[in-house]
Amino acid sequence: MANAMHPAALSAFAQSLPEKPLHESAGGYEFEFQRSPDSIQVTAERGTDRASGTIHWVLGAGAQGETPLIATAAGTLESRISFFPQLPRYGITIGQHAADSTSAQAALGRLQTREMLAQCLGCHATAVTRDLEPVVPGVQCQRCHAGAEAHLANPAAHHPVNPGKLSAPAQVEFCGTCHRFRLSGPPDAIENVRFQPYRLAMSRCFSSGKLSCTTCHAAHQDARRNDNAFYNQRCVSCHTQPHRSGDCISCHMPRVQLHPALAFTDHYIR
Ligand code: HEC
Ligand code: HEC
Ligand code: HEC
Ligand code: HEC
Ligand code: HEC
Ligand code: HEC
């Protein structure tokens, strides 16, 4: 989570850029990227229609995907081009339409209102200025442990918040401030599988009041990928006499492929 946002130059997006320009499609806009030590200049062009902007920040740790923010005269855009390290390939950002763009400006990306940008950075950064310039990118200690800075300055006088002390439901809600706990859309929509707190809260296991995110994840580590045995161990800590042995996860928490580059684990245990 600490790497949920990078300066442009440090991103896999920057480091994997090919020599040749990228294209939306054979007849679509062409994208040219020029790297400098602290930013990437991007230009979208088709015929005489041309627009450009500057990338200072790239969002996403790289486990699933990386999407730049593009600064332009018109405001900040969510780039239309993302990098998907697992494929590994550049492609259209998830949530944006796949058809060719109608203008060079639209080909660069989707304009973010101030409110959208504030939300985006609220989940991917720890501190931003009033003008929404990131000061502390990524999800750092003090984002979860409010008061960590005061504690550093005077350890005896100030104790940081520890979300580990929350009740299980309150902790799931806390992690859900970013991973999302409440949703406005239709509850059955397949896209919801990416919102683990929301899905977990639908489970009967959760209604026990004892199941939290940290039952299965260490808060300071990435998810343990492809280690079902570890998670199965968590299941049988409560279900001491399961109806069968074997790989609980593969049947009760299946992976759902939302996009060729993005798979999520269904946290609705049923
Ligand atoms: C301030 C927002 C925020 C909070 C609060 C937060 N997360 Fe995250 N978390 C993120 C973001 C953003 C990512 C995605 C990083 C990426 O892949 O780009 C992430 C990624 C993760 C990952 C996956 C890392 C991987 O293996 O790909 C896990 C597991 C996780 N968070 C668990 C938790 C838990 C547990 C809590 C509560 C204790 C929590 N998070 C609270 C923002 C947050
Ligand atoms: C409500 C909090 C929230 C907001 C707002 C948000 N993100 Fe995220 N984002 C997350 C979390 C949490 C993850 C981790 C998803 C996971 O691995 O389960 C994530 C993952 C990502 C990823 C990795 C690829 C993927 O789709 O999982 C990218 C790229 C990304 N976000 C970009 C953005 C951009 C760009 C914006 C704003 C335009 C934005 N996010 C707004 C919380 C948020
Ligand atoms: C995503 C939220 C999150 C982030 C970011 C985070 N922590 Fe934690 N931290 C937790 C949770 C949740 C616990 C409780 C651990 C548990 O129950 O497994 C915890 C526990 C701790 C503890 C143990 C406290 C105790 O009373 O035992 C320390 C120390 C700690 N964190 C320090 C840090 C430091 C230092 C950083 C930054 C490098 C950091 N944390 C970043 C969520 C977070
Ligand atoms: C913190 C304890 C706890 C953990 C950990 C836990 N469960 Fe549960 N689970 C429960 C409780 C309590 C119920 C409700 C039992 C009841 O009402 O009879 C339940 C119910 C269920 C149900 C029935 C759901 C339904 O809709 O009827 C399934 C299936 C299940 N758990 C599977 C799992 C699996 C698989 C894991 C591991 C991935 C797991 N559980 C981890 C406590 C837990
Ligand atoms: C009963 C165990 C269990 C609990 C509880 C649990 N997870 Fe997971 N989580 C998993 C498993 C299993 C995976 C898949 C690991 C892999 O990729 O092999 C996973 C993966 C993830 C990922 C990586 C993206 C994905 O969806 O595959 C994130 C982020 C995540 N969990 C966040 C959370 C958050 C936030 C909570 C609390 C709401 C939570 N998890 C509670 C078992 C659990
Ligand atoms: C091959 C797929 C599969 C595997 C592996 C599996 N389950 Fe299930 N489980 C099911 C199905 C299907 C049901 C509902 C029908 C039934 O009860 O057999 C179920 C029902 C349950 C229930 C609710 C009914 C009950 O008996 O209490 C729980 C709890 C449960 N499983 C836990 C587990 C745990 C824990 C594991 C791992 C040790 C596990 N399951 C492994 C498929 C599986």
Side-chain angles (χ1 to χ4, degrees):
M1 274 178 276
N3 296 316
M5 183 168 178
H6 297 282
L10 300 181
S11 64
F13 184 98
Q15 285 158 11
S16 314
L17 282 169
E19 295 290 324
K20 290 192 195 144
L22 296 166
H23 289 86
E24 260 182 332
S25 71
Y29 280 85
E30 178 179 286
F31 298 89
E32 205 161 338
F33 295 92
Q34 280 197 315
R35 293 167 55 176
S36 69
D38 60 356
S39 64
I40 307 169
Q41 200 64 31
V42 49
T43 305
E45 187 167 17
R46 187 171 64 178
T48 54
D49 188 19
R50 205 161 181 276
S52 55
T54 309
I55 300 169
H56 297 290
W57 296 102
V58 174
L59 274 66
Q64 306 259 42
E66 289 193 353
T67 304
L69 293 176
I70 303 180
T72 70
T76 303
L77 315 180
E78 178 195 62
S79 169
R80 191 163 153 66
I81 303 293
S82 287
F83 180 60
F84 301 105
Q86 282 171 17
L87 297 178
R89 197 167 73 213
Y90 291 83
I92 303 294
T93 298
I94 292 153
Q96 296 199 23
H97 67 84
D100 283 350
S101 302
T102 51
S103 71
Q105 186 68 24
L108 275 185
R110 198 159 58 179
L111 187 64
Q112 302 293 295
T113 61
R114 195 185 148 80
E115 194 194 1
M116 284 157 86
L117 187 59
Q119 285 175 354
C120 185
L121 297 173
C123 292
H124 284 267
T126 297
V128 297
T129 65
R130 239 172 241 243
D131 302 331
L132 302 180
E133 279 301 320
V135 186
V136 184
V139 184
Q140 309 301 344
C141 319
Q142 64 270 30
R143 186 65 176 77
C144 292
H145 298 287
E149 281 167 327
H151 172 68
L152 259 182
N154 188 345
H158 299 282
H159 292 280
V161 170
N162 179 5
K165 300 247 158 73
L166 297 170
S167 69
Q171 189 208 72
V172 168
E173 200 163 336
F174 169 77
C175 304
T177 54
C178 297
H179 289 272
R180 282 169 258 210
F181 185 65
R182 286 190 191 82
L183 297 179
S184 43
D188 298 334
I190 182 75
E191 295 77 40
N192 289 342
V193 298
R194 65 175 297 159
F195 305 133
Q196 299 90 1
Y198 174 78
R199 298 294 283 183
L200 190 71
M202 292 163 83
S203 315
R204 279 182 66 203
C205 308
F206 178 73
S207 63
S208 72
K210 301 217 169 67
L211 187 63
S212 70
C213 305
T214 49
T215 304
C216 295
H217 300 293
H220 306 126
Q221 277 171 24
D222 281 350
R224 292 173 73 122
R225 308 268 175 200
N226 306 313
D227 188 3
N228 288 7
F230 168 82
Y231 296 103
N232 293 337
Q233 218 35 59
R234 310 270 85 70
C235 309
V236 299
S237 69
C238 289
H239 299 284
T240 49
Q241 292 183 311
H243 65 112
R244 57 182 297 161
S245 61
D247 189 8
C248 324
I249 297 298
S250 63
C251 290
H252 290 286
M253 295 188 77
R255 307 212 86 200
V256 179
Q257 200 81 34
L258 283 188
H259 172 275
L262 288 197
F264 291 95
T265 307
D266 195 345
H267 283 60
Y268 176 15
I269 305 171
R270 57 197 188 281

